[in-house]
Amino acid sequence: MDMQSFRKTYFEECQERLQEIETLLLSLESGDYQDEHLHAIFRAVHSIKGGAGAFGCDHIVSFAHIFETVLDSVRDHRLALDPELMEVLVTSSDVLAAIVAAAEQDQILAETFDAKAKADLSQYMDGAEHAPLPAAHASSSDAKKGTSRTYTIVFKPHSRLYEKANEPLLLLRELGGLGEMILSVNVDALPDLSAMDAVGGYLSWTITLTTTHHKDAITEVFEFVLDDCDLTITETDRTVAGEMKPTPPSDASPAIETGESKVSSIRVDLDKIDRLVNMVGELVITHAMLSQQAEKLARDGYPHLARGIEELSTHTRELQDHVMAIRAQPVRMAFARIPRLVRDVSKDVNKHIKLVMTGEETEVDKTVIENLADPLTHLIRNAIDHGIEDAETRKAAGKPAEGTISVSAGHRSGRILIEIRDDGAGLNTKKIAEKAKERGLIENPDLMSADELHQLIFNPGFSTAEQISNISGRGVGMDVVKRNIQSIGGKVYVKSEAGVGARFVLSLPLTLAVMDGMIVRVGSQKLILPISNILESLRPRRQDIATITEGGEVLDLRDHYIPLLRLNRLFNIPARYDEPWQGLVLIVESEQTTFALFVDELVGKQQVVIKSLEENYDPVEGISSATILGDGSVALILDPASLYDLHTKQGDSLAFAA
Amino acid sequence: MSKTVLAVDDSKTMRDMVSFALTEAGFAVTTADDGAHGLKVAQEGTFDVIITDINMPNMDGITLIGHLRGLSQYQSTPILILTTESEQGKRDQGKNAGATGWIVKPFNPEKLIQVVNKVAA
């Protein structure tokens, strides 16, 4: 531990505090007025200031000081929290965040950087409250050498001094540290033992102290007790001494090695946890291997072995859960920015929006949280800009003028579901159908259900906003959301009801270290496909397969043609079956498209531990990573998007050869 | 036996710095992150010195001191408050609640140790 690591802690803490300030300010602004919110904001700013002093971040101290002064007046109800002041506070929290960020990077901001915010805040300070800034703390022991003075000190503690746990003996000891001391105690006031109050102030002392220190140093010794004693300090003699030694400091405690006991939590490097996650992954694999091998042995008369392995399995799974839980964090981290976003966007488009958030405590892997920010932002912007109607339209439809957006998170069957719901107009099914037809995505909209049509908005370049606003609707939209969510093994879909609202559901894995995989077989090879990409599996009829001139093979999936990829040809593996109607076809959804993948058979669903191929080997096209199966064999995990790219390339080269 | 110190502060930075400085100086430091937590920890153990911040969630430092002084085992335990220069009023409130003394933030480690030694027997 050194200053540098405290500094790191400090700035980490600042981030948490700043986030807290923003969240609380927004709840205040949205009408959720609670005194406690103001107290908490004050504490947060105060705490940022408190730490800043220790690291010499003067800019933070000076700004936080003014900010805090105004907040103090608001929380004491000396200032009314009107919308203008609210705006000033929100802006000030941004300015404070910027100053903190600059300080963390050791950047020097221009003096004028916070001038406006300071001026805005200053309007709310009456002169008296403009307390001077703390001056740099002066060292207490600046001994003035040369002049030696003698003081007579009369010290009579009151009983209140004892009640506050001050100890005259310690004060006298400290006083003795300043120089030569002659001490006499006056016991005249001491009553009979029977009449004595254990904490009564009966004793007084007269001290003659010869010291090179100034009178202030003596007063400082008594600084805690000045109100609780009679104290007179009189200078009685002064001599100029040539060789007065500076007095030794008061006795320092011997350094005894002690363990510091932490009650709350510790911070651990993410790397260390990742290593742990990896090791547990290995353990899971080893266990699977062991149990497969032991199955035969156990039958042949080792009953204890079977039980032992059973127990090992339970413990391993528990260990895995716990280790994963270390990496888990509440989704609050990803939700924290939403209130600000809703506030800003709704101001821009001039709509009144109420935000309801639930399930912020739901825990999910840190990496998943980090990848949630963009999709969430996108979906919420969209909901405000396109989902919620303007006030007049809402009133005409018999809805409250204020729109509601609710964001919720929760666990469901080993995954986390995040829902973004608005009470707007819902998706315009007719327009989606028209657009999809126009873009050639579908042929006959009448054959599709409204729900099926709605999912088309996740296609690349699909945007039905009539007017492109600067909030959303720039053409890149839902497809980006979908790609982001898929990249972390998740799925997204929309449910919409005309006039009632739309609901976007993100279904995400709890962790990225393990994955639900479908093991498929081609010839002697076992390969794994992420379950989240598989829509369905089927055995096609011979007449469902066709070849089109410029697109290679296609599968007729309920009157809809999708490209057919043969896994055996892509990787040059001799397969058991030559034709799709003998084997099985998986309908796979990738980032760009949906395609059919021909394999021999499905082996089964399994949770697999993901091993990076880049780290352990080299990147391979069509493959995202690898895993080790229960029998110890390595199986490759397919990456649908790059599989499709590979297919396109091979098609091109074939066409070229032909 | 080294002296035991309970440091109560909602700021991790402060907790870390106080506990680091005092541990170096030979104290055994326990930390708590707000007043209510501090009171609970104080009740579960015994401490020779208690240091507390003023502005904290759940229970502020002044209230904490009041509660501690009401407990027989902490009637004569030195309790120090952590304040800033601008909080003279708080310092007086702390004194009235029974605080033994105060430490002014930002503090340097030597000053902290000096003040703790000043009140700890």
Side-chain angles (χ1 to χ4, degrees):
Chain A
M1 277 262 189
D2 55 4
M3 257 343 233
Q4 208 49 42
S5 70
F6 290 131
R7 199 173 180 276
K8 191 159 168 278
T9 312
Y10 169 69
F11 282 110
E12 279 170 8
E13 195 170 1
C14 277
Q15 285 317 318
E16 288 164 23
R17 299 289 169 143
L18 287 167
Q19 193 63 65
E20 193 185 341
I21 294 169
E22 186 169 308
T23 310
L24 290 165
L25 279 174
L26 291 166
S27 349
L28 284 175
E29 195 182 30
S30 66
D32 177 18
Y33 183 88
Q34 289 177 31
D35 278 351
E36 180 46 36
H37 286 349
L38 276 168
H39 288 303
I41 296 170
F42 174 84
R43 282 197 301 268
V45 174
H46 186 75
S47 155
I48 289 174
K49 180 181 113 178
F55 304 104
C57 304
D58 297 337
H59 202 163
I60 300 181
V61 176
S62 72
F63 187 78
H65 181 72
I66 296 175
F67 195 3
E68 171 192 282
T69 309
V70 173
L71 284 167
D72 196 32
S73 304
V74 181
R75 69 175 185 156
D76 289 350
H77 303 288
R78 279 177 283 139
L79 260 181
L81 188 57
D82 57 18
E84 284 97 87
L85 176 53
M86 194 67 228
E87 194 63 45
V88 169
L89 295 182
V90 172
T91 318
S92 298
S93 84
D94 288 348
V95 171
L96 181 60
I99 296 174
V100 169
E104 186 173 9
Q105 308 292 325
D106 287 322
Q107 287 166 1
I108 313 275
L109 286 171
E111 285 286 318
T112 50
F113 178 79
D114 55 353
K116 171 143 187 349
K118 269 184 174 164
D120 287 345
L121 284 168
S122 302
Q123 304 176 63
Y124 292 95
M125 303 202 293
D126 40 310
E129 284 165 27
H130 201 151
L133 274 179
H137 202 75
S139 167
S140 60
S141 56
D142 40 0
K144 288 200 182 70
K145 279 182 202 164
T147 312
S148 159
R149 299 177 172 94
T150 302
Y151 296 93
T152 302
I153 302 157
V154 180
F155 171 48
K156 182 174 189 318
H158 300 166
S159 61
R160 281 179 54 80
L161 181 146
Y162 298 97
E163 282 164 17
K164 290 173 188 169
N166 273 298
E167 176 53 62
L169 290 178
L170 291 171
L171 297 174
L172 295 173
R173 187 180 75 187
E174 194 181 347
L175 199 59
L178 295 176
E180 297 287 323
M181 181 168 74
I182 301 162
L183 199 65
S184 72
V185 63
N186 183 345
V187 294
D188 294 348
L190 211 59
D192 281 349
L193 197 57
S194 58
M196 207 189 287
D197 177 356
V199 291
Y202 304 113
L203 300 176
S204 63
W205 285 267
T206 303
I207 306 130
T208 310
L209 179 72
T210 305
T211 175
T212 53
H213 288 270
H214 196 259
K215 188 176 165 185
D216 290 352
I218 301 171
T219 315
E220 198 184 318
V221 171
F222 294 99
E223 65 170 329
F224 295 162
V225 299
L226 288 175
D227 299 338
D228 302 320
C229 67
D230 297 329
L231 182 71
T232 54
I233 305 171
T234 337
E235 192 178 329
T236 47
D237 189 20
R238 185 187 291 205
T239 50
V240 179
E243 264 185 53
M244 201 62 189
K245 279 178 282 176
T247 50
S250 56
D251 52 334
S253 301
I256 298 163
E257 203 172 302
T258 50
E260 171 201 354
S261 53
K262 277 269 160 123
V263 182
S264 44
S265 63
I266 53 162
R267 276 174 205 260
V268 182
D269 229 27
L270 210 54
D271 273 357
K272 286 187 187 166
I273 297 176
D274 285 346
R275 238 173 290 154
L276 199 61
V277 170
N278 241 319
M279 288 307 295
V280 172
E282 301 283 354
L283 190 62
V284 170
I285 293 164
T286 314
H287 167 260
M289 219 153 78
L290 210 57
S291 74
Q292 253 181 23
Q293 292 295 309
E295 226 168 67
K296 216 170 112 238
L297 271 178
R299 273 201 305 273
D300 296 347
Y302 293 90
H304 292 301
L305 185 65
R307 223 178 56 216
I309 286 188
E310 187 61 38
E311 254 169 54
L312 183 64
S313 153
T314 318
H315 294 154
T316 310
R317 211 169 306 137
E318 236 171 81
L319 185 63
Q320 193 183 10
D321 288 348
H322 285 296
V323 169
M324 294 304 176
I326 299 178
R327 275 193 59 107
Q329 288 188 315
V331 283
R332 191 169 358 95
M333 319 277 270
F335 279 17
R337 299 194 176 278
I338 298 177
R340 181 64 189 266
L341 178 72
V342 170
R343 173 187 184 271
D344 290 352
V345 177
S346 57
K347 264 197 181 159
D348 279 354
V349 298
N350 199 19
K351 288 177 185 174
H352 285 282
I353 311 278
K354 189 172 93 190
L355 174 71
V356 183
M357 295 201 290
T358 48
E360 291 113 307
E361 297 306 315
T362 311
E363 291 199 328
V364 67
D365 191 274
K366 192 173 155 60
T367 321
V368 175
I369 288 184
E370 282 161 2
N371 284 289
L372 258 180
D374 285 350
L376 274 179
T377 307
H378 224 104
L379 289 172
I380 288 166
R381 276 173 183 276
N382 255 307
I384 298 171
D385 198 16
H386 303 312
I388 307 272
E389 319 89 321
D390 55 54
E392 287 78 55
T393 318
R394 289 180 66 86
K395 273 186 220 153
K399 292 184 187 178
E402 188 185 50
T404 302
I405 290 185
S406 34
V407 184
S408 67
H411 285 297
R412 197 156 318 151
S413 55
R415 293 178 76 79
I416 171 172
L417 287 193
I418 294 179
E419 254 189 41
I420 297 103
R421 187 198 289 257
D422 67 63
D423 69 343
L427 298 180
N428 188 332
T429 314
K430 195 163 150 258
K431 212 179 277 172
I432 293 171
E434 277 168 16
K435 184 102 170 211
K437 202 169 168 191
E438 183 191 310
R439 300 249 156 143
L441 293 169
I442 51 168
E443 302 210 336
N444 191 349
D446 300 336
L447 291 174
M448 294 173 77
S449 70
D451 199 43
E452 280 172 319
L453 284 167
H454 292 157
Q455 312 310 320
L456 292 173
I457 62 168
F458 295 109
N459 272 293
F462 199 96
S463 171
T464 62
E466 282 168 68
Q467 265 184 319
I468 290 174
S469 69
N470 65 347
I471 306 299
S472 49
R474 263 167 294 202
V476 287
M478 292 302 168
D479 59 318
V480 179
V481 170
K482 181 164 191 171
R483 198 150 58 220
N484 283 343
I485 296 297
Q486 261 177 351
S487 74
I488 47 173
K491 283 181 181 182
V492 55
Y493 58 88
V494 59
K495 295 277 170 203
S496 168
E497 201 176 327
V500 179
R503 182 162 64 101
F504 286 87
V505 182
L506 313 182
S507 157
L508 301 160
L510 291 177
T511 164
L512 300 182
V514 292
M515 176 194 78
D516 282 323
M518 178 64 79
I519 308 178
V520 299
R521 190 197 301 279
V522 179
S524 60
Q525 290 276 338
K526 280 183 191 166
L527 294 144
I528 292 164
L529 209 61
I531 294 255
S532 57
N533 293 91
I534 303 177
L535 294 178
E536 58 179 300
S537 60
L538 53 96
R539 172 169 290 170
R541 294 167 301 174
R542 187 190 290 253
Q543 63 266 36
D544 293 338
I545 312 293
T547 306
I548 51 174
T549 345
E550 273 176 41
E553 273 188 306
V554 290
L555 168 78
D556 178 0
L557 181 68
R558 295 182 285 274
D559 293 332
H560 195 71
Y561 287 96
I562 57 172
L564 174 72
L565 280 64
R566 293 170 181 251
L567 204 48
N568 57 341
R569 286 194 195 157
L570 284 174
F571 291 127
N572 237 335
I573 312 167
R576 177 142 50 122
Y577 303 115
D578 291 327
E579 297 303 336
W581 51 89
Q582 298 166 322
L584 211 59
V585 160
L586 295 169
I587 308 303
V588 179
E589 188 184 42
S590 84
E591 286 157 22
Q592 318 95 317
T593 183
T594 300
F595 59 85
L597 186 69
F598 164 48
V599 300
D600 281 350
E601 61 170 346
L602 297 184
V603 178
K605 200 179 125 176
Q606 194 184 317
Q607 210 181 45
V608 296
V609 181
I610 299 169
K611 300 271 160 199
S612 162
L613 212 55
E614 280 93 339
E615 267 171 42
N616 300 308
Y617 180 62
D618 267 326
V620 178
E621 205 166 12
I623 307 291
S624 68
S625 46
T627 191
I628 303 171
L629 296 174
D631 59 8
S633 64
V634 173
L636 298 172
I637 301 173
L638 300 168
D639 173 10
S642 94
L643 211 54
Y644 185 75
D645 289 344
L646 185 64
H647 163 78
T648 321
K649 266 189 223 163
Q650 286 189 354
D652 286 350
S653 60
L654 283 177
F656 185 73
Chain B
M1 267 297 278
S2 49
K3 299 260 179 223
T4 53
V5 178
L6 171 62
V8 188
D9 200 310
D10 60 331
S11 159
K12 180 168 161 50
T13 315
M14 283 297 156
R15 289 199 301 273
D16 280 1
M17 290 181 65
V18 170
S19 84
F20 176 70
L22 292 179
T23 305
E24 287 278 286
F27 292 92
V29 185
T30 301
T31 60
D33 50 22
D34 63 38
H37 185 202
L39 182 60
K40 186 165 168 284
V41 174
Q43 279 169 323
E44 284 165 1
T46 52
F47 295 94
D48 298 316
V49 181
I50 294 172
I51 300 172
T52 179
D53 186 26
I54 300 285
N55 286 294
M56 291 183 292
N58 295 325
M59 182 192 288
D60 65 37
I62 309 276
T63 314
L64 172 66
I65 295 170
H67 281 296
L68 289 172
R69 285 291 180 234
L71 298 170
S72 59
Q73 75 264 40
Y74 291 115
Q75 254 165 22
S76 54
T77 302
I79 303 176
L80 295 168
I81 51 178
L82 276 161
T83 65
T84 54
E85 291 279 356
S86 54
E87 287 180 314
Q88 187 63 50
K90 292 284 175 194
R91 213 173 286 172
D92 293 342
Q93 280 181 39
K95 283 292 282 180
N96 290 335
T100 310
W102 55 84
I103 298 161
V104 180
K105 288 192 280 194
F107 56 81
N108 61 35
E110 297 91 71
K111 176 75 185 164
L112 173 73
I113 294 163
Q114 189 197 330
V115 176
V116 173
N117 274 322
K118 178 170 175 168
V119 296

